[in-house]
Amino acid sequence: MRTQVAIIGAGPAGLLLGHILRRAGVGFVILEQKSREYVLGRVRAGVLEQGSVDILRELGLDADLAARGLTHHGIYLQYEGERHHLDFVDLVGRTVTVYGQQALVRHLLAEHHRIGSDVRFEVDGVTPHDIDTDAPFVTIGGPEGERIDCDIVVGADGYHGVCRPAIPGVQALERSYPYAWLGILADVAPSTDDLIYALHPDGFAMHSMRSREVSRLYLQVDPGESVDDWSDERIWEALQTRLGVPGWTLREGAITEKSITPMRSFVASTLEHGRLFLVGDAGHIVPPTGAKGLNSAIADVALLGRSLAAHFRGDDALLKRYSDSALARQWKVQQFSQWMTEMLHVHREVADEAARAFRYRSQLGQLEYTTGSRHAQAALAEQYAGLPF
């Protein structure tokens, strides 16, 4: 077969790009190695920047978001047993929306099904070829399998996908963090109106939510720990300790999912080669503290979608700048995510007790400055609510 754009990966980036291309009248196929059930079952990010919400609304893909999304006007920063609210609307006139990635993928996929898009799951052996020529193609199922000729290949297939390694000489600029997150979903109404980020001597904790009935909570743990070492009772005890403040109650409920996620940063040295372009986790990953992973993927897709639409109209100016433009935004996102992560996590990797105490006290100084300065609050709000696309 032949199509204009072959998209490898049916996560939120690939699915959203398909909708953008369809609106521009550009043909595409989406190829996904995993099953539909696996893709729909992945528990991932849950906070959308203002720009991400705007993009979905522009495309008419916000029906479920409007019905189920929870608009938040800010966040809480908590330390030394005190909670401080940062009002994003007051500071920068913007909001964020809590809306799980699973729900977004489900809605995008349902819309693709409704309009008859060519989205294929459980596709083995997807391989891009001749990406440095004017006639790239993708094969499925090995050399004797199906061949899809196309004009453009888009790698939306994540960190472990096949597209980034297909770029000659691409470098992975990476950093691992000495802590991980134990995340849980609990069938209990949230105990907060806005997200809580807490620094505690025992470690970081966060209270988020997925809906008015489901809470999403996190604890800092060591990367080598096993989820089997964390009973429900131990999890709730740690959350009560790290999130507790006078006069506030953390509601407990049945834990339906728990997992431990290592934290790392990664940026590819380029997001393009010839006719191959990377979006989302295929090109970059951030620690989850700043809620930037899903939003960075949407930002990539918004930029690439406009660039491809212009390309098929005969204008390549945007496409030639895609990698530089996307990476320039991504490095700003990386520094913000790194700053939030280092400020809010206990650095147990520091062996010397005095040095560890110094590090912790300096973090308290950062938090005291941030919560005490309107300018510092506005800088955090501007980045958290989202840089321009």
Side-chain angles (χ1 to χ4, degrees), residues 194-213:
D194 282 335
L195 279 66
I196 303 169
Y197 289 81
L199 173 65
H200 186 275
D202 290 352
F204 168 80
M206 179 180 176
H207 188 329
S208 182
M209 61 283 294
R210 282 294 176 269
S211 69
R212 294 175 178 84
E213 299 81 28

Side-chain angles (χ1 to χ4, degrees), residues 176-191:
S176 296
Y177 293 84
Y179 23 77
W181 275 12
L182 167 61
I184 68 164
L185 283 174
D187 284 339
V188 60
S191 306

